[in-house]
Amino acid sequence: MSKWIVAERHKGGVSMWEMPSRQEISGAEGPIVMVGGGAAPRSLPCTAIPDRLVSGEGGGWLFPPLAWDGQVSDGAEARVAGFVAANPNWDGVICVMGASTAWVHVSAGEVISFQRFVTAQLAAALDVSDDWNEDRLRAALDEVMTRPERLAAYLARAGDAGTLWGALLGAELAAARPYWLGQQVVLVGAGRGADALALGLSGQGVPVERADDTDMLLAGVAAAVSAHGGL
């Protein structure tokens, strides 16, 4: 296949990579597949890797997101497709942490359900530093998981990054318990927020496999292009 472009729309603009070299670029020449381009979502359950891309109104192609229980997957769909492409018989939960977090239940190559959280957006709104202390994070996470209804009061008295991150993640893990309890969990994401989530899961006795965010994004789009029959 000749050169083509993966593009992803996000709050800061658009990021692009040339394929198949996977080199990040600033300008695009060639067919484009856009993640986050506003295509109509696919309802669940459905295959993790879409068999067809959606034709974009201005040209190029769109990677369709997923829809479940009033939520849209917000870019997680491509990462999930990337992991499933490399692990077609895997069953478990893929947690994609970016601007939002998506907990995605996968079985036999299909997405069964997912739940989104905006923990990272709340941390950004509270201007929480990434320079957190592990012990304080663990303590806050454990306390808020026990009483998540007191999250707002706990945040009001928290004064350090570890306590704030721990409190926010404790509330998320309490709500997401059906997705991680007794499951194989793969965490896709980069940065200290993803590190904090991995730490929180390990504290609950959950073995966590990590996967690179960009690798999964590009692999997922490549798998969809192949299923589509090329560009």
Side-chain angles (χ1 to χ4, degrees), residues 132-190:
W132 41 261
N133 175 273
E134 180 175 327
D135 291 336
R136 291 181 177 179
L137 186 147
R138 286 185 185 276
L141 186 147
D142 289 343
E143 184 170 343
V144 173
M145 280 195 71
T146 302
R147 300 192 65 185
E149 74 278 4
R150 290 188 54 79
L151 172 64
Y154 199 91
L155 292 174
R157 71 174 192 268
D160 64 275
T163 300
L164 287 166
W165 266 115
L168 291 169
L169 289 172
E172 176 174 328
L173 288 178
R177 193 187 304 271
Y179 278 88
W180 55 260
L181 187 63
Q183 293 280 2
Q184 296 186 84
V185 177
V186 171
L187 175 58
V188 180

Side-chain angles (χ1 to χ4, degrees), residues 26-41:
S26 57
E29 291 185 7
I32 295 178
V33 181
M34 174 72 76
V35 176

Side-chain angles (χ1 to χ4, degrees), residues 109-130:
E110 291 196 337
V111 178
I112 308 303
S113 67
F114 70 89
Q115 177 67 55
R116 278 184 61 204
F117 295 88
V118 293
T119 303
Q121 294 177 40
L122 290 172
L126 292 168
D127 197 24
V128 182
S129 167
D130 285 338

Side-chain angles (χ1 to χ4, degrees), residues 41-55:
R42 297 188 297 148
S43 297
L44 302 187
C46 66
T47 57
I49 302 169
D51 57 6
R52 300 293 296 174
L53 298 169
V54 178
S55 179

Side-chain angles (χ1 to χ4, degrees), residues 60-147:
W61 300 93
L62 306 177
F63 193 114
L66 306 171
W68 172 255
D69 195 26
Q71 309 165 86
V72 179
S73 53
D74 193 32
E77 64 279 356
R79 279 84 174 171
V80 170
F83 186 83
V84 170
N87 304 273
N89 298 315
W90 188 85
D91 288 355
V93 170
I94 303 171
C95 179
V96 181
M97 188 172 189
S100 63
T101 306
W103 296 79
V104 186
H105 179 203
V106 174
S107 179
E110 291 196 337
V111 178
I112 308 303
S113 67
F114 70 89
Q115 177 67 55
R116 278 184 61 204
F117 295 88
V118 293
T119 303
Q121 294 177 40
L122 290 172
L126 292 168
D127 197 24
V128 182
S129 167
D130 285 338
D131 185 19
W132 41 261
N133 175 273
E134 180 175 327
D135 291 336
R136 291 181 177 179
L137 186 147
R138 286 185 185 276
L141 186 147
D142 289 343
E143 184 170 343
V144 173
M145 280 195 71
T146 302
R147 300 192 65 185

